[in-house]
Short mmCIF file of all heavy atoms in Angstrom, two decimals:
data_model
loop_
_atom_site.label_atom_id
_atom_site.label_comp_id
_atom_site.label_asym_id
_atom_site.label_seq_id
_atom_site.Cartn_x
_atom_site.Cartn_y
_atom_site.Cartn_z
N ALA A 21 -31.02 -12.48 50.59
CA ALA A 21 -30.41 -13.51 51.44
C ALA A 21 -29.55 -12.89 52.53
O ALA A 21 -29.39 -13.46 53.61
CB ALA A 21 -29.58 -14.46 50.58
N LEU A 22 -29.01 -11.69 52.23
CA LEU A 22 -28.22 -10.97 53.23
C LEU A 22 -29.09 -10.14 54.17
O LEU A 22 -28.58 -9.51 55.10
CB LEU A 22 -27.21 -10.05 52.53
CG LEU A 22 -26.06 -10.72 51.78
CD1 LEU A 22 -25.32 -9.70 50.93
CD2 LEU A 22 -25.10 -11.40 52.75
N GLY A 23 -30.40 -10.10 53.88
CA GLY A 23 -31.32 -9.32 54.69
C GLY A 23 -31.22 -7.83 54.44
O GLY A 23 -31.46 -7.02 55.33
N THR A 24 -30.87 -7.46 53.18
CA THR A 24 -30.67 -6.05 52.83
C THR A 24 -31.77 -5.57 51.90
O THR A 24 -32.11 -6.27 50.94
CB THR A 24 -29.31 -5.87 52.13
OG1 THR A 24 -28.29 -6.37 52.99
CG2 THR A 24 -29.04 -4.41 51.83
N GLU A 25 -32.31 -4.37 52.13
CA GLU A 25 -33.30 -3.80 51.23
C GLU A 25 -32.64 -3.42 49.91
O GLU A 25 -31.46 -3.10 49.86
CB GLU A 25 -33.95 -2.56 51.85
CG GLU A 25 -34.77 -2.87 53.10
CD GLU A 25 -35.44 -1.63 53.65
OE1 GLU A 25 -35.30 -0.56 53.02
OE2 GLU A 25 -36.10 -1.73 54.69
N THR A 26 -33.45 -3.44 48.83
CA THR A 26 -32.87 -3.24 47.49
C THR A 26 -33.34 -1.96 46.82
O THR A 26 -33.03 -1.74 45.66
CB THR A 26 -33.23 -4.42 46.58
OG1 THR A 26 -34.66 -4.51 46.46
CG2 THR A 26 -32.68 -5.72 47.12
N ARG A 27 -34.09 -1.14 47.49
CA ARG A 27 -34.62 0.07 46.84
C ARG A 27 -33.48 0.97 46.40
O ARG A 27 -32.62 1.33 47.18
CB ARG A 27 -35.55 0.82 47.79
CG ARG A 27 -36.20 2.05 47.15
CD ARG A 27 -37.18 2.70 48.11
NE ARG A 27 -37.80 3.87 47.54
CZ ARG A 27 -38.84 3.84 46.72
NH1 ARG A 27 -39.34 2.68 46.34
NH2 ARG A 27 -39.36 4.95 46.23
N GLY A 28 -33.47 1.36 45.12
CA GLY A 28 -32.39 2.17 44.56
C GLY A 28 -32.74 3.65 44.52
O GLY A 28 -33.87 4.05 44.77
N PRO A 29 -31.76 4.50 44.17
CA PRO A 29 -31.96 5.94 44.19
C PRO A 29 -32.49 6.52 42.89
O PRO A 29 -32.68 7.72 42.80
CB PRO A 29 -30.53 6.46 44.44
CG PRO A 29 -29.66 5.46 43.76
CD PRO A 29 -30.36 4.12 43.95
N TRP A 30 -32.69 5.70 41.83
CA TRP A 30 -33.10 6.24 40.55
C TRP A 30 -34.61 6.28 40.40
O TRP A 30 -35.33 5.55 41.06
CB TRP A 30 -32.49 5.41 39.42
CG TRP A 30 -31.03 5.67 39.27
CD1 TRP A 30 -30.45 6.76 38.71
CD2 TRP A 30 -29.97 4.84 39.71
NE1 TRP A 30 -29.08 6.65 38.77
CE2 TRP A 30 -28.76 5.50 39.38
CE3 TRP A 30 -29.92 3.60 40.36
CZ2 TRP A 30 -27.51 4.95 39.66
CZ3 TRP A 30 -28.68 3.06 40.65
CH2 TRP A 30 -27.50 3.74 40.30
N PRO A 31 -35.11 7.11 39.44
CA PRO A 31 -36.54 7.16 39.18
C PRO A 31 -37.03 5.83 38.62
O PRO A 31 -36.22 4.95 38.26
CB PRO A 31 -36.66 8.27 38.12
CG PRO A 31 -35.39 9.05 38.21
CD PRO A 31 -34.35 8.08 38.67
N GLU A 32 -38.35 5.69 38.51
CA GLU A 32 -38.91 4.47 37.93
C GLU A 32 -38.35 4.28 36.53
O GLU A 32 -38.30 5.22 35.73
CB GLU A 32 -40.44 4.58 37.86
CG GLU A 32 -41.11 4.46 39.22
CD GLU A 32 -40.86 3.11 39.85
OE1 GLU A 32 -40.88 2.10 39.13
OE2 GLU A 32 -40.63 3.06 41.07
N PRO A 33 -37.89 3.06 36.18
CA PRO A 33 -37.25 2.82 34.88
C PRO A 33 -38.10 3.24 33.69
O PRO A 33 -37.58 3.81 32.74
CB PRO A 33 -37.00 1.30 34.90
CG PRO A 33 -36.90 0.95 36.34
CD PRO A 33 -37.86 1.87 37.04
N ALA A 34 -39.39 2.96 33.71
CA ALA A 34 -40.24 3.30 32.57
C ALA A 34 -40.27 4.81 32.35
O ALA A 34 -40.20 5.29 31.21
CB ALA A 34 -41.65 2.76 32.78
N ALA A 35 -40.35 5.57 33.42
CA ALA A 35 -40.37 7.03 33.31
C ALA A 35 -39.03 7.54 32.77
O ALA A 35 -38.98 8.46 31.94
CB ALA A 35 -40.68 7.66 34.66
N ALA A 36 -37.94 6.96 33.26
CA ALA A 36 -36.62 7.37 32.79
C ALA A 36 -36.45 7.07 31.31
O ALA A 36 -35.92 7.88 30.55
CB ALA A 36 -35.53 6.66 33.60
N ALA A 37 -36.90 5.88 30.88
CA ALA A 37 -36.79 5.50 29.47
C ALA A 37 -37.62 6.42 28.59
O ALA A 37 -37.20 6.81 27.51
CB ALA A 37 -37.22 4.05 29.28
N ALA A 38 -38.80 6.77 29.06
CA ALA A 38 -39.67 7.66 28.29
C ALA A 38 -39.00 9.03 28.13
O ALA A 38 -39.05 9.63 27.04
CB ALA A 38 -41.02 7.81 28.98
N ALA A 39 -38.38 9.51 29.19
CA ALA A 39 -37.69 10.80 29.11
C ALA A 39 -36.52 10.73 28.14
O ALA A 39 -36.28 11.65 27.35
CB ALA A 39 -37.20 11.22 30.50
N ALA A 40 -35.76 9.62 28.20
CA ALA A 40 -34.63 9.45 27.29
C ALA A 40 -35.09 9.38 25.85
O ALA A 40 -34.48 9.96 24.94
CB ALA A 40 -33.85 8.19 27.66
N ALA A 41 -36.18 8.64 25.60
CA ALA A 41 -36.70 8.49 24.24
C ALA A 41 -37.16 9.84 23.69
O ALA A 41 -36.88 10.18 22.54
CB ALA A 41 -37.85 7.50 24.22
N ALA A 42 -37.88 10.60 24.51
CA ALA A 42 -38.37 11.90 24.06
C ALA A 42 -37.22 12.84 23.74
O ALA A 42 -37.24 13.55 22.73
CB ALA A 42 -39.28 12.50 25.13
N ALA A 43 -36.21 12.85 24.60
CA ALA A 43 -35.07 13.75 24.39
C ALA A 43 -34.32 13.39 23.11
O ALA A 43 -33.97 14.25 22.31
CB ALA A 43 -34.12 13.69 25.59
N ALA A 44 -34.06 12.08 22.91
CA ALA A 44 -33.29 11.65 21.74
C ALA A 44 -34.07 11.82 20.46
O ALA A 44 -33.53 12.26 19.44
CB ALA A 44 -32.85 10.20 21.92
N THR A 45 -35.34 11.47 20.48
CA THR A 45 -36.16 11.57 19.27
C THR A 45 -36.31 13.01 18.81
O THR A 45 -36.27 13.30 17.62
CB THR A 45 -37.56 10.96 19.52
OG1 THR A 45 -37.40 9.59 19.90
CG2 THR A 45 -38.41 11.03 18.27
N GLY A 46 -36.44 13.91 19.78
CA GLY A 46 -36.63 15.30 19.41
C GLY A 46 -35.36 16.01 19.00
O GLY A 46 -35.42 17.07 18.39
N ALA A 47 -34.20 15.43 19.31
CA ALA A 47 -32.94 16.11 19.05
C ALA A 47 -32.30 15.73 17.72
O ALA A 47 -31.39 16.42 17.26
CB ALA A 47 -31.96 15.83 20.19
N GLY A 48 -32.71 14.64 17.10
CA GLY A 48 -32.15 14.26 15.81
C GLY A 48 -31.37 12.96 15.85
O GLY A 48 -31.24 12.32 16.89
N VAL A 49 -30.85 12.58 14.66
CA VAL A 49 -30.19 11.29 14.51
C VAL A 49 -28.91 11.20 15.32
O VAL A 49 -28.67 10.21 16.03
CB VAL A 49 -29.90 11.01 13.02
CG1 VAL A 49 -29.03 9.77 12.87
CG2 VAL A 49 -31.20 10.84 12.25
N PHE A 50 -28.04 12.22 15.21
CA PHE A 50 -26.75 12.15 15.91
C PHE A 50 -26.92 12.03 17.42
O PHE A 50 -26.31 11.16 18.04
CB PHE A 50 -25.87 13.34 15.54
CG PHE A 50 -24.50 13.29 16.16
CD1 PHE A 50 -23.52 12.45 15.66
CD2 PHE A 50 -24.19 14.08 17.26
CE1 PHE A 50 -22.25 12.39 16.23
CE2 PHE A 50 -22.93 14.03 17.85
CZ PHE A 50 -21.97 13.18 17.33
N PRO A 51 -27.75 12.87 18.05
CA PRO A 51 -27.95 12.69 19.50
C PRO A 51 -28.53 11.32 19.85
O PRO A 51 -28.20 10.77 20.91
CB PRO A 51 -28.92 13.82 19.86
CG PRO A 51 -28.69 14.85 18.83
CD PRO A 51 -28.41 14.09 17.57
N ALA A 52 -29.39 10.78 18.98
CA ALA A 52 -29.93 9.44 19.25
C ALA A 52 -28.82 8.40 19.23
O ALA A 52 -28.80 7.48 20.05
CB ALA A 52 -31.01 9.09 18.23
N LYS A 53 -27.88 8.54 18.29
CA LYS A 53 -26.74 7.62 18.24
C LYS A 53 -25.84 7.78 19.46
O LYS A 53 -25.34 6.79 20.01
CB LYS A 53 -25.94 7.85 16.96
CG LYS A 53 -26.64 7.41 15.68
CD LYS A 53 -25.74 7.62 14.47
CE LYS A 53 -26.38 7.08 13.19
NZ LYS A 53 -25.49 7.21 12.03
N VAL A 54 -25.64 9.03 19.88
CA VAL A 54 -24.81 9.28 21.06
C VAL A 54 -25.48 8.71 22.30
O VAL A 54 -24.82 8.12 23.17
CB VAL A 54 -24.53 10.78 21.22
CG1 VAL A 54 -23.84 11.06 22.56
CG2 VAL A 54 -23.67 11.29 20.08
N LEU A 55 -26.80 8.87 22.39
CA LEU A 55 -27.52 8.28 23.52
C LEU A 55 -27.32 6.77 23.56
O LEU A 55 -27.06 6.19 24.62
CB LEU A 55 -29.01 8.60 23.41
CG LEU A 55 -29.91 7.87 24.42
CD1 LEU A 55 -29.66 8.38 25.84
CD2 LEU A 55 -31.39 7.99 24.05
N GLY A 56 -27.44 6.12 22.39
CA GLY A 56 -27.25 4.68 22.33
C GLY A 56 -25.86 4.27 22.77
O GLY A 56 -25.68 3.29 23.50
N LEU A 57 -24.85 5.04 22.33
CA LEU A 57 -23.48 4.75 22.74
C LEU A 57 -23.32 4.89 24.24
O LEU A 57 -22.67 4.06 24.89
CB LEU A 57 -22.52 5.71 22.01
CG LEU A 57 -21.04 5.52 22.29
CD1 LEU A 57 -20.55 4.17 21.77
CD2 LEU A 57 -20.22 6.65 21.64
N ARG A 58 -23.95 5.92 24.78
CA ARG A 58 -23.85 6.16 26.22
C ARG A 58 -24.52 5.04 27.00
O ARG A 58 -23.98 4.55 28.00
CB ARG A 58 -24.51 7.51 26.55
CG ARG A 58 -24.49 7.88 28.01
CD ARG A 58 -23.12 8.23 28.48
NE ARG A 58 -23.16 8.80 29.83
CZ ARG A 58 -22.28 8.52 30.78
NH1 ARG A 58 -21.29 7.69 30.52
NH2 ARG A 58 -22.37 9.07 31.97
N VAL A 59 -25.71 4.62 26.55
CA VAL A 59 -26.42 3.55 27.26
C VAL A 59 -25.64 2.24 27.18
O VAL A 59 -25.50 1.53 28.19
CB VAL A 59 -27.84 3.38 26.69
CG1 VAL A 59 -28.49 2.11 27.24
CG2 VAL A 59 -28.70 4.59 27.02
#
C-alpha cells in the first residue's frame, strides 16, 4: 500500500530451515534444544 518492495536479505526460508534442521539433528539433543530456544 506504501508502494514499497518487500524482498528481504535472507536466503529462501525452506533452505534455511533445512540447514538449521541438519545442523541441530547432527549435533545432538542439547544443541537442538538450544536451537529451539534461539528460534
